[in-house]
Amino acid sequence: MKVNGHFSNLATSYLFTEVARRQREYTAAHPDAETIRLSIGDVTRPLVPAVIDAMTKAVAEMGKAETFRGYGDEQGYGFLRDAIVKYYAGKGVELAPDEIFISDGAKSDVGNILNIFSTDNIVAVPDPVYPVYVDTNIMDGRKVLLLDANAENGFLPMPGEEHVDIIYICSPNNPTGAVYNREQLTAWVDYALAHDAVILFDAAYEAFINDPALPTSIYQIPGAEKCAIELCSLSKTAGFTGTRCGYTIVPKALVKDGASLNAMWLRRQTTKFNGVPYIVQRGAEAVFTPEGMAQCKENIAHYRENAKVMGAAFDKLGISYCGGVHSPYIWLHCPDGMTSWEYFDVLLEQYHIVGTPGSGFGKNGEGYLRLTAFNTAENTKKAMERLTK
Ligand code: PLP
């Protein structure tokens, strides 16, 4: 037998293990130092009451013969897909329920969606970005073209002359916090239509966008329904990182190489996926109620306030950064020409603050460091006071 040889082309993923190792060793050597972790891309606030109430009711239903549910629809329950249709209508986007596929989170679908594309496709991925895009393509043996995201282009690469077949766009971006505006996304949609390419639009952080002029969905751009798939998640919108629920939108107008991508994705999901738990989908439905949405927005406002506190501290220090406005991430330019790991060590050893070295997100991340707003207001303030005093 032979294994998938493409796995040997993957770079060793040591970023978060190395961050944890350095933090552990530092804490062991300095037990009195109160370290504050501003490195994790995980929410810190619990699920909101509307979600807990809905899931509690669903648990009770599962315990009664009359309301018990077994296998559900692989594409997701109608009640949740209808709630998402309404949510998108609020953004001015018209969707049909069968264009929405409920998932156990965006990470799975970011990887799984590649099942419907040929391994001959050329893939464009911004650098730096969420590492899953590159790694899932390397596992399949696809050719990846990196698009430079840097201070010159505001960490928002734009289409070039070169032909590509699949384009990843993450807006607001992890790790840079940069957000594409309407004109920039229109340029990408126009490119995709002209090149018969498909955009994979990762909207995992859309709920952090705080300016009605900025698109929160690729389908707010005319023509996107003919060239884009949108992947979204309730992880950051509603604190579902451990609860696991997201959704992928594949418009029926998306026809490539003579095939309906919606029909292909449905075939893939009905073959390889058995749906998200009923209890979780009821919790997800509650996120889209006025009450649930207001509660989730309160949590996002809390994280956004933390980001503002961080931004103000770095303004005071004269350290330039990107993000932190429509994103939980602040992307710092390491001062004094330090490398990402050098600045990581300075923050840890002098200020007891843990960040994530930007070099772990791609070659253009060298010389940058990512901090996150996912912490308490108290810890965020304390960390920033250490830096500014
Ligand atoms: N997409 C991006 C850009 C992310 O940063 C993350 C998680 O951090 C995900 C997708 C994964 O989200 P989920 O928790 O829904 O799998």
Side-chain angles (χ1 to χ4, degrees):
M1 63 77 72
K2 282 189 177 168
V3 297
N4 180 348
H6 299 305
F7 274 59
S8 62
N9 297 327
L10 291 167
T12 316
S13 165
Y14 78 115
L15 179 67
F16 290 100
T17 41
E18 181 62 12
V19 167
R21 186 188 69 78
R22 292 195 194 197
Q23 186 191 345
R24 206 172 40 244
E25 284 182 5
Y26 184 79
T27 313
H30 306 85
D32 295 334
E34 188 202 346
T35 48
I36 298 177
R37 276 175 79 196
L38 299 181
S39 51
I40 42 159
D42 196 356
V43 291
T44 48
R45 292 201 141 191
L47 293 172
V48 299
V51 168
I52 293 296
D53 288 350
M55 291 204 294
T56 306
K57 275 189 205 130
V59 168
E61 284 179 48
M62 293 298 272
K64 290 193 203 113
E66 316 82 70
T67 47
F68 169 76
R69 311 254 186 155
Y71 288 123
D73 181 348
E74 293 98 336
Q75 202 175 339
Y77 284 104
F79 60 77
L80 179 52
R81 287 189 279 140
D82 289 345
I84 295 170
V85 166
K86 273 198 202 124
Y87 180 60
Y88 273 74
K91 297 172 185 268
V93 173
E94 202 183 312
L95 294 176
D98 57 359
E99 294 179 306
I100 298 166
F101 297 78
I102 306 303
S103 71
D104 63 346
K107 190 182 198 175
S108 318
D109 277 6
V110 163
N112 294 336
I113 198 76
L114 294 174
N115 254 199
I116 66 172
F117 297 115
S118 161
T119 51
D120 293 338
N121 287 315
I122 301 168
V123 182
V125 181
D127 170 357
V129 86
Y130 184 52
V132 177
Y133 307 155
V134 170
D135 286 356
T136 48
N137 277 290
I138 288 179
M139 285 175 183
D140 283 358
R142 262 183 221 91
K143 191 175 159 205
V144 175
L145 181 83
L146 295 172
L147 305 173
D148 287 329
N150 47 38
E152 285 74 54
N153 59 22
F155 298 98
L156 297 167
M158 294 303 295
E161 296 299 314
E162 202 160 348
H163 171 83
V164 297
D165 303 298
I166 298 173
I167 303 145
Y168 284 82
I169 298 181
C170 178
S171 180
N173 184 274
N174 176 13
T176 68
V179 192
Y180 280 104
N181 66 27
R182 192 170 293 275
E183 292 68 39
Q184 291 165 324
L185 285 184
T186 301
W188 273 116
V189 167
D190 290 348
Y191 172 94
L193 291 171
H195 285 255
D196 203 22
V198 171
I199 294 173
L200 298 179
F201 188 79
D202 187 338
Y205 297 93
E206 60 92 18
F208 280 82
I209 293 180
N210 202 15
D211 175 353
L214 292 171
T216 55
S217 164
I218 190 74
Y219 304 119
Q220 289 167 327
I221 308 299
E225 69 285 355
K226 294 198 190 80
C227 66
I229 289 175
E230 183 157 302
L231 302 117
C232 201
S233 164
L234 296 186
S235 285
K236 313 298 157 86
T237 302
F240 271 54
T241 50
T243 308
R244 310 304 307 144
C245 194
Y247 54 89
T248 293
I249 300 170
V250 189
K252 281 183 279 189
L254 190 49
V255 176
K256 294 286 163 198
D257 199 11
S260 156
L261 298 196
N262 179 286
M264 285 181 77
W265 183 240
L266 178 65
R267 186 72 174 86
R268 190 268 172 210
Q269 289 299 79
T270 50
T271 305
K272 295 195 186 181
F273 186 58
N274 249 343
V276 174
Y278 173 69
I279 298 160
V280 171
Q281 292 195 56
R282 280 294 184 200
E285 180 192 21
V287 170
F288 297 101
T289 61
E291 189 196 11
M293 200 39 82
Q295 293 168 355
C296 291
K297 281 196 171 146
E298 210 179 301
N299 283 346
I300 287 173
H302 158 83
Y303 297 130
R304 219 187 258 127
E305 185 55 33
N306 286 347
K308 205 167 148 190
V309 167
M310 293 197 282
F314 293 110
D315 285 341
K316 196 168 164 188
L317 290 164
I319 293 178
S320 63
Y321 61 88
C322 179
V325 181
H326 306 292
S327 161
Y329 298 123
I330 294 233
W331 183 243
L332 296 175
H333 192 189
C334 304
D336 306 324
M338 276 185 268
T339 65
S340 300
W341 280 109
E342 281 167 353
Y343 191 44
F344 171 90
D345 286 336
V346 167
L347 286 185
L348 179 61
E349 288 162 22
Q350 294 181 21
Y351 303 99
H352 318 316
I353 296 168
V354 188
T356 306
S359 51
F361 296 97
K363 72 173 181 354
N364 289 316
E366 182 56 276
Y368 289 86
L369 185 127
R370 189 192 76 175
L371 293 185
T372 89
F374 295 124
N375 214 310
T376 60
E378 191 194 355
N379 277 347
T380 307
K381 280 195 190 113
K382 204 186 282 177
M384 294 306 113
E385 276 164 14
R386 286 182 195 166
L387 283 168
T388 50
K389 274 186 186 155

